[in-house]
Each structure stands twice: as C-alpha cells, then as structure tokens.
Short mmCIF file of all heavy atoms in Angstrom, two decimals:
data_model
loop_
_atom_site.label_atom_id
_atom_site.label_comp_id
_atom_site.label_asym_id
_atom_site.label_seq_id
_atom_site.Cartn_x
_atom_site.Cartn_y
_atom_site.Cartn_z
N LYS A 1 -62.61 -19.43 -90.69
CA LYS A 1 -63.74 -19.59 -89.77
C LYS A 1 -63.36 -19.13 -88.38
O LYS A 1 -64.14 -18.47 -87.67
CB LYS A 1 -64.18 -21.05 -89.76
CG LYS A 1 -65.44 -21.28 -88.90
CD LYS A 1 -65.90 -22.72 -88.96
CE LYS A 1 -67.16 -22.93 -88.14
NZ LYS A 1 -67.60 -24.32 -88.13
N ALA A 2 -62.11 -19.49 -87.97
CA ALA A 2 -61.63 -19.05 -86.66
C ALA A 2 -61.56 -17.52 -86.61
O ALA A 2 -61.94 -16.89 -85.60
CB ALA A 2 -60.26 -19.66 -86.36
N GLU A 3 -61.09 -16.93 -87.73
CA GLU A 3 -61.04 -15.47 -87.79
C GLU A 3 -62.44 -14.87 -87.70
O GLU A 3 -62.66 -13.87 -87.01
CB GLU A 3 -60.36 -15.02 -89.08
CG GLU A 3 -58.86 -15.31 -89.14
CD GLU A 3 -58.25 -14.85 -90.46
OE1 GLU A 3 -58.98 -14.19 -91.23
OE2 GLU A 3 -57.08 -15.15 -90.71
N LEU A 4 -63.37 -15.47 -88.43
CA LEU A 4 -64.75 -14.97 -88.40
C LEU A 4 -65.36 -15.11 -87.02
O LEU A 4 -66.10 -14.22 -86.56
CB LEU A 4 -65.60 -15.70 -89.44
CG LEU A 4 -65.28 -15.39 -90.90
CD1 LEU A 4 -66.08 -16.29 -91.82
CD2 LEU A 4 -65.56 -13.92 -91.21
N GLU A 5 -65.05 -16.25 -86.37
CA GLU A 5 -65.58 -16.44 -85.01
C GLU A 5 -65.01 -15.38 -84.07
O GLU A 5 -65.70 -14.86 -83.20
CB GLU A 5 -65.25 -17.84 -84.53
CG GLU A 5 -66.05 -18.94 -85.23
CD GLU A 5 -65.62 -20.33 -84.83
OE1 GLU A 5 -64.57 -20.44 -84.15
OE2 GLU A 5 -66.32 -21.30 -85.19
N LYS A 6 -63.70 -15.09 -84.27
CA LYS A 6 -63.08 -14.05 -83.46
C LYS A 6 -63.71 -12.69 -83.75
O LYS A 6 -64.02 -11.91 -82.83
CB LYS A 6 -61.58 -14.00 -83.75
CG LYS A 6 -60.83 -12.97 -82.92
CD LYS A 6 -59.35 -12.97 -83.27
CE LYS A 6 -58.60 -11.91 -82.46
NZ LYS A 6 -57.17 -11.85 -82.81
N THR A 7 -63.92 -12.43 -85.06
CA THR A 7 -64.57 -11.17 -85.45
C THR A 7 -65.98 -11.09 -84.89
O THR A 7 -66.41 -10.04 -84.39
CB THR A 7 -64.61 -11.06 -86.99
OG1 THR A 7 -63.28 -11.10 -87.50
CG2 THR A 7 -65.27 -9.75 -87.41
N GLU A 8 -66.68 -12.23 -84.95
CA GLU A 8 -68.04 -12.27 -84.40
C GLU A 8 -68.03 -11.97 -82.92
O GLU A 8 -68.88 -11.22 -82.41
CB GLU A 8 -68.67 -13.64 -84.68
CG GLU A 8 -70.10 -13.74 -84.16
CD GLU A 8 -70.68 -15.14 -84.34
OE1 GLU A 8 -69.93 -16.03 -84.76
OE2 GLU A 8 -71.87 -15.31 -84.02
N ALA A 9 -67.05 -12.58 -82.22
CA ALA A 9 -66.95 -12.34 -80.77
C ALA A 9 -66.67 -10.86 -80.50
O ALA A 9 -67.24 -10.27 -79.57
CB ALA A 9 -65.85 -13.22 -80.17
N GLU A 10 -65.77 -10.28 -81.33
CA GLU A 10 -65.46 -8.86 -81.16
C GLU A 10 -66.68 -8.00 -81.43
O GLU A 10 -66.94 -7.03 -80.71
CB GLU A 10 -64.31 -8.47 -82.09
CG GLU A 10 -62.97 -9.09 -81.71
CD GLU A 10 -61.89 -8.81 -82.75
OE1 GLU A 10 -62.24 -8.27 -83.83
OE2 GLU A 10 -60.72 -9.11 -82.48
N ILE A 11 -67.42 -8.36 -82.48
CA ILE A 11 -68.64 -7.60 -82.80
C ILE A 11 -69.66 -7.72 -81.68
O ILE A 11 -70.29 -6.73 -81.28
CB ILE A 11 -69.23 -8.08 -84.14
CG1 ILE A 11 -68.28 -7.72 -85.29
CG2 ILE A 11 -70.61 -7.46 -84.39
CD1 ILE A 11 -68.69 -8.30 -86.63
N GLN A 12 -69.81 -8.96 -81.18
CA GLN A 12 -70.73 -9.16 -80.06
C GLN A 12 -70.32 -8.33 -78.85
O GLN A 12 -71.17 -7.76 -78.15
CB GLN A 12 -70.79 -10.65 -79.69
CG GLN A 12 -71.50 -11.52 -80.71
CD GLN A 12 -72.98 -11.19 -80.82
OE1 GLN A 12 -73.60 -10.69 -79.88
NE2 GLN A 12 -73.57 -11.48 -81.98
N GLN A 13 -69.00 -8.28 -78.64
CA GLN A 13 -68.50 -7.49 -77.51
C GLN A 13 -68.78 -6.00 -77.75
O GLN A 13 -69.18 -5.28 -76.82
CB GLN A 13 -66.99 -7.72 -77.35
CG GLN A 13 -66.40 -7.08 -76.08
CD GLN A 13 -64.94 -7.42 -75.91
OE1 GLN A 13 -64.30 -7.91 -76.82
NE2 GLN A 13 -64.42 -7.16 -74.73
N MET A 14 -68.59 -5.55 -78.99
CA MET A 14 -68.90 -4.16 -79.32
C MET A 14 -70.38 -3.87 -79.14
O MET A 14 -70.77 -2.80 -78.63
CB MET A 14 -68.47 -3.86 -80.76
CG MET A 14 -66.95 -3.89 -80.97
SD MET A 14 -66.49 -3.78 -82.73
CE MET A 14 -67.06 -2.13 -83.12
N ILE A 15 -71.20 -4.84 -79.57
CA ILE A 15 -72.65 -4.67 -79.39
C ILE A 15 -73.00 -4.57 -77.92
O ILE A 15 -73.79 -3.71 -77.50
CB ILE A 15 -73.41 -5.84 -80.07
CG1 ILE A 15 -73.25 -5.76 -81.59
CG2 ILE A 15 -74.89 -5.82 -79.68
CD1 ILE A 15 -73.78 -6.96 -82.32
N GLN A 16 -72.39 -5.48 -77.13
CA GLN A 16 -72.66 -5.48 -75.69
C GLN A 16 -72.22 -4.17 -75.05
O GLN A 16 -72.94 -3.61 -74.20
CB GLN A 16 -71.93 -6.67 -75.03
CG GLN A 16 -72.22 -6.82 -73.55
CD GLN A 16 -73.69 -7.10 -73.28
OE1 GLN A 16 -74.43 -7.55 -74.15
NE2 GLN A 16 -74.12 -6.82 -72.07
N LYS A 17 -71.05 -3.68 -75.47
CA LYS A 17 -70.57 -2.40 -74.92
C LYS A 17 -71.53 -1.28 -75.26
O LYS A 17 -71.81 -0.40 -74.42
CB LYS A 17 -69.18 -2.08 -75.49
CG LYS A 17 -68.05 -2.89 -74.87
CD LYS A 17 -66.70 -2.46 -75.43
CE LYS A 17 -65.56 -3.24 -74.79
NZ LYS A 17 -64.24 -2.84 -75.35
N ARG A 18 -72.05 -1.30 -76.47
CA ARG A 18 -72.97 -0.24 -76.86
C ARG A 18 -74.31 -0.37 -76.17
O ARG A 18 -74.95 0.65 -75.86
CB ARG A 18 -73.14 -0.26 -78.40
CG ARG A 18 -71.97 0.43 -79.10
CD ARG A 18 -71.68 -0.10 -80.48
NE ARG A 18 -70.53 0.59 -81.06
CZ ARG A 18 -69.26 0.35 -80.71
NH1 ARG A 18 -68.99 -0.59 -79.81
NH2 ARG A 18 -68.26 1.03 -81.27
N ARG A 19 -74.73 -1.62 -75.92
CA ARG A 19 -75.95 -1.79 -75.13
C ARG A 19 -75.76 -1.27 -73.71
O ARG A 19 -76.66 -0.64 -73.14
CB ARG A 19 -76.35 -3.26 -75.13
CG ARG A 19 -76.96 -3.73 -76.46
CD ARG A 19 -77.23 -5.21 -76.47
NE ARG A 19 -77.91 -5.60 -77.70
CZ ARG A 19 -78.05 -6.86 -78.11
NH1 ARG A 19 -77.54 -7.85 -77.38
NH2 ARG A 19 -78.69 -7.13 -79.24
N LEU A 20 -74.58 -1.57 -73.16
CA LEU A 20 -74.27 -1.06 -71.82
C LEU A 20 -74.21 0.46 -71.83
O LEU A 20 -74.65 1.11 -70.88
CB LEU A 20 -72.94 -1.66 -71.32
CG LEU A 20 -72.94 -3.14 -71.01
CD1 LEU A 20 -71.54 -3.62 -70.65
CD2 LEU A 20 -73.90 -3.47 -69.86
N LYS A 21 -73.64 1.00 -72.93
CA LYS A 21 -73.58 2.46 -73.04
C LYS A 21 -74.97 3.06 -73.12
O LYS A 21 -75.25 4.12 -72.54
CB LYS A 21 -72.75 2.85 -74.26
CG LYS A 21 -72.60 4.35 -74.48
CD LYS A 21 -71.96 5.05 -73.29
CE LYS A 21 -70.53 4.66 -73.10
NZ LYS A 21 -69.88 5.44 -72.02
N ILE A 22 -75.87 2.39 -73.84
CA ILE A 22 -77.26 2.85 -73.90
C ILE A 22 -77.88 2.86 -72.51
O ILE A 22 -78.54 3.82 -72.11
CB ILE A 22 -78.08 1.96 -74.86
CG1 ILE A 22 -77.64 2.20 -76.31
CG2 ILE A 22 -79.58 2.23 -74.71
CD1 ILE A 22 -78.28 1.26 -77.31
N GLN A 23 -77.63 1.76 -71.76
CA GLN A 23 -78.15 1.70 -70.39
C GLN A 23 -77.55 2.81 -69.54
O GLN A 23 -78.25 3.44 -68.73
CB GLN A 23 -77.83 0.33 -69.78
CG GLN A 23 -78.57 -0.83 -70.44
CD GLN A 23 -78.20 -2.18 -69.83
OE1 GLN A 23 -77.42 -2.25 -68.88
NE2 GLN A 23 -78.74 -3.24 -70.39
N GLU A 24 -76.24 3.04 -69.75
CA GLU A 24 -75.56 4.10 -68.99
C GLU A 24 -76.17 5.46 -69.31
O GLU A 24 -76.43 6.27 -68.41
CB GLU A 24 -74.07 4.09 -69.32
CG GLU A 24 -73.26 5.18 -68.62
CD GLU A 24 -71.83 5.21 -69.10
OE1 GLU A 24 -71.29 4.14 -69.49
OE2 GLU A 24 -71.24 6.30 -69.10
N ILE A 25 -76.40 5.71 -70.61
CA ILE A 25 -76.98 6.99 -71.02
C ILE A 25 -78.39 7.14 -70.46
O ILE A 25 -78.77 8.21 -69.95
CB ILE A 25 -76.98 7.10 -72.56
CG1 ILE A 25 -75.52 7.21 -73.07
CG2 ILE A 25 -77.80 8.31 -73.01
CD1 ILE A 25 -75.41 7.13 -74.58
N LYS A 26 -79.18 6.06 -70.57
CA LYS A 26 -80.54 6.11 -70.03
C LYS A 26 -80.51 6.35 -68.52
O LYS A 26 -81.33 7.12 -67.99
CB LYS A 26 -81.28 4.81 -70.34
CG LYS A 26 -81.67 4.65 -71.81
CD LYS A 26 -82.44 3.36 -72.03
CE LYS A 26 -82.90 3.22 -73.49
NZ LYS A 26 -83.64 1.96 -73.72
N HIS A 27 -79.55 5.69 -67.86
CA HIS A 27 -79.42 5.89 -66.42
C HIS A 27 -79.05 7.33 -66.10
O HIS A 27 -79.57 7.94 -65.15
CB HIS A 27 -78.37 4.93 -65.86
CG HIS A 27 -78.20 5.02 -64.36
ND1 HIS A 27 -79.22 4.73 -63.49
CD2 HIS A 27 -77.12 5.38 -63.61
CE1 HIS A 27 -78.78 4.91 -62.25
NE2 HIS A 27 -77.52 5.30 -62.30
N SER A 28 -78.15 7.90 -66.93
CA SER A 28 -77.76 9.30 -66.74
C SER A 28 -78.97 10.22 -66.92
O SER A 28 -79.15 11.19 -66.17
CB SER A 28 -76.65 9.68 -67.72
OG SER A 28 -75.48 8.92 -67.49
N VAL A 29 -79.79 9.90 -67.94
CA VAL A 29 -80.99 10.70 -68.17
C VAL A 29 -81.93 10.59 -66.98
O VAL A 29 -82.52 11.58 -66.52
CB VAL A 29 -81.70 10.26 -69.47
CG1 VAL A 29 -83.05 10.94 -69.60
CG2 VAL A 29 -80.83 10.58 -70.67
N ASP A 30 -82.08 9.36 -66.44
CA ASP A 30 -82.94 9.17 -65.26
C ASP A 30 -82.41 9.96 -64.08
O ASP A 30 -83.18 10.60 -63.35
CB ASP A 30 -83.02 7.68 -64.92
CG ASP A 30 -83.79 6.88 -65.97
OD1 ASP A 30 -84.57 7.50 -66.71
OD2 ASP A 30 -83.60 5.65 -66.04
N LEU A 31 -81.08 9.90 -63.88
CA LEU A 31 -80.49 10.65 -62.77
C LEU A 31 -80.69 12.15 -62.98
O LEU A 31 -81.00 12.89 -62.04
CB LEU A 31 -78.99 10.34 -62.66
CG LEU A 31 -78.62 8.94 -62.17
CD1 LEU A 31 -77.10 8.78 -62.15
CD2 LEU A 31 -79.19 8.67 -60.78
N SER A 32 -80.50 12.59 -64.24
CA SER A 32 -80.69 14.00 -64.54
C SER A 32 -82.14 14.41 -64.27
O SER A 32 -82.40 15.50 -63.73
CB SER A 32 -80.33 14.27 -66.00
OG SER A 32 -80.60 15.60 -66.35
N LYS A 33 -83.06 13.53 -64.64
CA LYS A 33 -84.48 13.83 -64.42
C LYS A 33 -84.77 13.91 -62.92
O LYS A 33 -85.50 14.80 -62.46
CB LYS A 33 -85.34 12.75 -65.08
CG LYS A 33 -86.83 13.07 -65.07
CD LYS A 33 -87.61 12.03 -65.86
CE LYS A 33 -89.09 12.36 -65.91
NZ LYS A 33 -89.85 11.36 -66.68
N GLU A 34 -84.20 12.97 -62.16
CA GLU A 34 -84.37 13.00 -60.70
C GLU A 34 -83.81 14.29 -60.12
O GLU A 34 -84.44 14.95 -59.29
CB GLU A 34 -83.71 11.79 -60.07
CG GLU A 34 -84.40 10.46 -60.38
CD GLU A 34 -83.64 9.28 -59.80
OE1 GLU A 34 -82.64 9.51 -59.08
OE2 GLU A 34 -84.05 8.12 -60.06
N ASP A 35 -82.59 14.65 -60.58
CA ASP A 35 -81.98 15.88 -60.10
C ASP A 35 -82.82 17.09 -60.47
O ASP A 35 -83.00 18.01 -59.66
CB ASP A 35 -80.56 16.04 -60.68
CG ASP A 35 -79.59 15.02 -60.11
OD1 ASP A 35 -79.91 14.42 -59.06
OD2 ASP A 35 -78.52 14.82 -60.71
N ALA A 36 -83.32 17.09 -61.72
CA ALA A 36 -84.13 18.22 -62.17
C ALA A 36 -85.42 18.33 -61.36
O ALA A 36 -85.80 19.43 -60.93
CB ALA A 36 -84.46 18.06 -63.66
N ASN A 37 -86.07 17.19 -61.12
CA ASN A 37 -87.31 17.20 -60.33
C ASN A 37 -87.03 17.66 -58.90
O ASN A 37 -87.81 18.43 -58.33
CB ASN A 37 -87.95 15.82 -60.33
CG ASN A 37 -88.53 15.45 -61.68
OD1 ASN A 37 -88.85 16.32 -62.48
ND2 ASN A 37 -88.67 14.17 -61.96
N ARG A 38 -85.93 17.16 -58.34
CA ARG A 38 -85.58 17.56 -56.97
C ARG A 38 -85.27 19.05 -56.91
O ARG A 38 -85.72 19.77 -56.02
CB ARG A 38 -84.39 16.76 -56.46
CG ARG A 38 -84.01 17.09 -55.01
CD ARG A 38 -82.79 16.34 -54.53
NE ARG A 38 -81.62 16.75 -55.26
CZ ARG A 38 -80.97 15.95 -56.09
NH1 ARG A 38 -81.39 14.72 -56.32
NH2 ARG A 38 -79.89 16.38 -56.73
N GLU A 39 -84.51 19.51 -57.92
CA GLU A 39 -84.14 20.92 -57.95
C GLU A 39 -85.37 21.80 -58.12
O GLU A 39 -85.50 22.85 -57.50
CB GLU A 39 -83.14 21.17 -59.08
CG GLU A 39 -82.33 22.44 -58.94
CD GLU A 39 -81.32 22.37 -57.83
OE1 GLU A 39 -80.98 21.26 -57.38
OE2 GLU A 39 -80.86 23.45 -57.39
N LYS A 40 -86.30 21.36 -59.00
CA LYS A 40 -87.53 22.13 -59.20
C LYS A 40 -88.35 22.17 -57.92
O LYS A 40 -88.87 23.22 -57.54
CB LYS A 40 -88.36 21.52 -60.34
CG LYS A 40 -87.81 21.80 -61.72
CD LYS A 40 -88.81 21.46 -62.80
CE LYS A 40 -89.08 19.97 -62.87
NZ LYS A 40 -89.96 19.61 -64.00
N ALA A 41 -88.46 21.00 -57.25
CA ALA A 41 -89.24 20.94 -56.02
C ALA A 41 -88.63 21.85 -54.96
O ALA A 41 -89.34 22.60 -54.27
CB ALA A 41 -89.31 19.49 -55.51
N GLU A 42 -87.31 21.78 -54.83
CA GLU A 42 -86.65 22.64 -53.85
C GLU A 42 -86.77 24.10 -54.24
O GLU A 42 -86.99 24.97 -53.38
CB GLU A 42 -85.18 22.24 -53.72
CG GLU A 42 -84.96 20.89 -53.07
CD GLU A 42 -83.49 20.53 -52.98
OE1 GLU A 42 -82.65 21.31 -53.46
OE2 GLU A 42 -83.18 19.46 -52.39
N GLY A 43 -86.65 24.37 -55.54
CA GLY A 43 -86.79 25.75 -56.00
C GLY A 43 -88.18 26.30 -55.73
O GLY A 43 -88.32 27.44 -55.25
N VAL A 44 -89.20 25.50 -56.02
CA VAL A 44 -90.57 25.92 -55.75
C VAL A 44 -90.76 26.18 -54.26
O VAL A 44 -91.35 27.19 -53.85
CB VAL A 44 -91.57 24.85 -56.25
CG1 VAL A 44 -92.97 25.15 -55.73
CG2 VAL A 44 -91.57 24.79 -57.77
N GLN A 45 -90.24 25.26 -53.45
CA GLN A 45 -90.38 25.41 -51.99
C GLN A 45 -89.69 26.69 -51.51
O GLN A 45 -90.25 27.44 -50.71
CB GLN A 45 -89.76 24.19 -51.30
CG GLN A 45 -89.93 24.20 -49.78
CD GLN A 45 -89.35 22.94 -49.16
OE1 GLN A 45 -88.90 22.05 -49.85
NE2 GLN A 45 -89.36 22.88 -47.85
N VAL A 46 -88.48 26.93 -52.02
CA VAL A 46 -87.74 28.12 -51.60
C VAL A 46 -88.45 29.39 -52.04
O VAL A 46 -88.63 30.33 -51.25
CB VAL A 46 -86.30 28.08 -52.17
CG1 VAL A 46 -85.62 29.43 -51.99
CG2 VAL A 46 -85.49 26.99 -51.48
#
C-alpha cells in the first residue's frame, strides 16, 4: 500500500507536470499568436 501510495504520488506528479506542460505549450501558442499578430500589423504598416 505504501508502494502504491508512492506510485500514486509519482503518477499525480507526472500528471501535474504534464498539465503544466500543456499550460506552457498553450502559453507558447498564445505568445506566438501575439508575435504573429504584431508582426503582421507591423508588416502591413510598413
């Protein structure tokens, strides 16, 4: 049971890391979108 609890904690930690990675990826996509929009706006202006 102690081993399973440890495994569960590790799995939960892995899940949390992957959720954070999802947030990180989504944030990267948002930043990329912001950069793309800014670049397009500047390009259009130029």
Side-chain angles (χ1 to χ4, degrees):
K1 185 177 181 182
E3 290 179 7
L4 290 174
E5 289 174 350
K6 182 181 179 182
T7 301
E8 181 184 6
E10 291 173 352
I11 293 173
Q12 289 294 334
Q13 188 176 14
M14 292 171 66
I15 292 171
Q16 184 63 21
K17 284 183 179 179
R18 280 151 182 76
R19 285 175 175 166
L20 291 175
K21 180 58 67 175
I22 290 174
Q23 293 178 3
E24 178 186 330
I25 293 172
K26 288 182 177 179
H27 182 62
S28 297
V29 171
D30 291 339
L31 290 178
S32 176
K33 188 174 182 179
E34 291 176 5
D35 290 344
N37 289 337
R38 183 182 65 248
E39 200 71 18
K40 285 193 293 185
E42 291 179 357
V44 169
Q45 184 178 357
V46 168

